[in-house]
Amino acid sequence: NAGVTQTPKFQVLKTGQSMTLQCAQDMNHEYMSWYRQDPGMGLRLIHYSVGAGITDQGEVPNGYNVSRSTTEDFPLRLLSAAPSQTSVYFCASSSHSAPYEQYFGPGTRLTVT
Amino acid sequence: DAKTTQPTSMDCAEGRAANLPCNHSTISGNEYVYWYRQIHSQGPQYIIHGLKNNETNEMASLIITEDRKSSTLILPHATLRDTAVYYCIVRGNQAGTALIFGKGTTLSVSS
């Protein structure tokens, strides 16, 4: 199993550009989440999904969109990038039977100039 | 959700046991204690969780006090690779919400 994979690993955007961060898992997990981590801080939840077709907002959802058309994939879209979105983004997944035993991807390091 | 309190940082000598405390005095009866760690620049890693009984796995042991208001994560023989930020999180086991990470404890293991 590859576990949770994220692409790209690094990305530089200009202010106003849009892009999609990809996240995929091969463990057939129902739950998937997106977090961001700023320097010296803990993780903050952006959006999460409890199953295909169902998404909900987390602590810091503004400026981001998500969709969950399949169990495996949970892409995060930045609509119009801003310097405040410079961060490391982590995707995580877990099963319905153990929702808080989450498996995290390696992260995407995003810089917005 | 119950709030947790952890020391900001701790030091441990390599080969010794690392005991990381966590206070969760407002924990409710159906909430579990979860521990994660994050090694520099990597994604967080699940370590262990428990409800009221002590738990042990290949990574660590979790000791929860009888009143459940505090717990201790024990790494029995710390190595340099255990240097990381350790997060104590309290959640119910009901699906539909996600983990809330605080600032955790930075554990530094030195030789």
Side-chain angles (χ1 to χ4, degrees), chain A residues 26-113:
Chain A
D26 61 0
M27 296 171 282
N28 203 33
H29 284 167
E30 295 87 353
Y31 300 148
M32 297 186 75
S33 308
W34 275 103
Y35 297 84
R36 63 175 286 175
Q37 185 172 35
D38 300 318
M41 298 186 66
L43 282 78
R44 291 185 293 170
L45 181 66
I46 305 172
H47 286 283
Y48 65 97
S49 169
V50 299
I54 305 170
T55 63
D56 207 345
Q57 295 182 353
E59 183 183 357
V60 288
N62 292 341
Y64 307 95
N65 273 358
V66 292
S67 60
R68 185 94 179 273
S69 57
T70 68
T71 299
E72 294 78 19
D73 300 300
F74 190 43
L76 178 72
R77 297 182 187 85
L78 279 69
L79 307 174
S80 177
S84 61
Q85 294 179 305
T86 293
S87 190
V88 181
Y89 292 83
F90 291 103
C91 178
S93 74
S94 58
S95 70
H96 175 81
S97 60
Y100 301 116
E101 289 183 39
Q102 296 192 358
Y103 294 81
F104 283 79
T108 293
R109 284 149 183 80
L110 175 68
T111 301
V112 183
T113 61

Side-chain angles (χ1 to χ4, degrees), chain B residues 2-110:
Chain B
K3 180 178 177 178
T4 62
T5 303
Q6 299 177 252
T8 302
S9 63
M10 295 183 64
D11 296 318
C12 180
E14 190 177 22
R16 305 296 294 269
N19 298 297
L20 290 88
C22 180
N23 287 324
H24 32 78
S25 59
T26 61
I27 192 171
S28 61
N30 64 347
E31 289 184 315
Y32 289 70
V33 180
Y34 288 81
W35 283 85
Y36 280 76
R37 72 180 182 183
Q38 185 175 25
I39 297 170
H40 181 62
S41 298
Q42 299 181 19
Q45 178 187 23
Y46 166 81
I47 301 173
I48 197 168
H49 77 280
L51 183 63
K52 55 184 179 181
N53 297 323
N54 298 338
E55 302 287 346
T56 296
N57 63 20
E58 64 278 5
M59 289 184 66
S61 295
L62 174 61
I63 309 297
I64 303 174
T65 58
E66 191 169 344
D67 64 7
R68 301 206 327 119
K69 293 184 177 182
S70 66
S71 60
T72 301
L73 178 74
I74 301 172
L75 309 178
H77 305 287
T79 70
L80 298 178
R81 287 176 294 181
D82 292 322
T83 293
V85 179
Y86 287 78
Y87 298 97
C88 169
I89 302 168
V90 172
R91 298 301 287 176
N93 213 31
Q94 184 175 5
T97 60
L99 291 167
I100 306 296
F101 287 82
K103 295 192 176 180
T105 297
T106 299
L107 174 68
S108 299
V109 181
S110 57

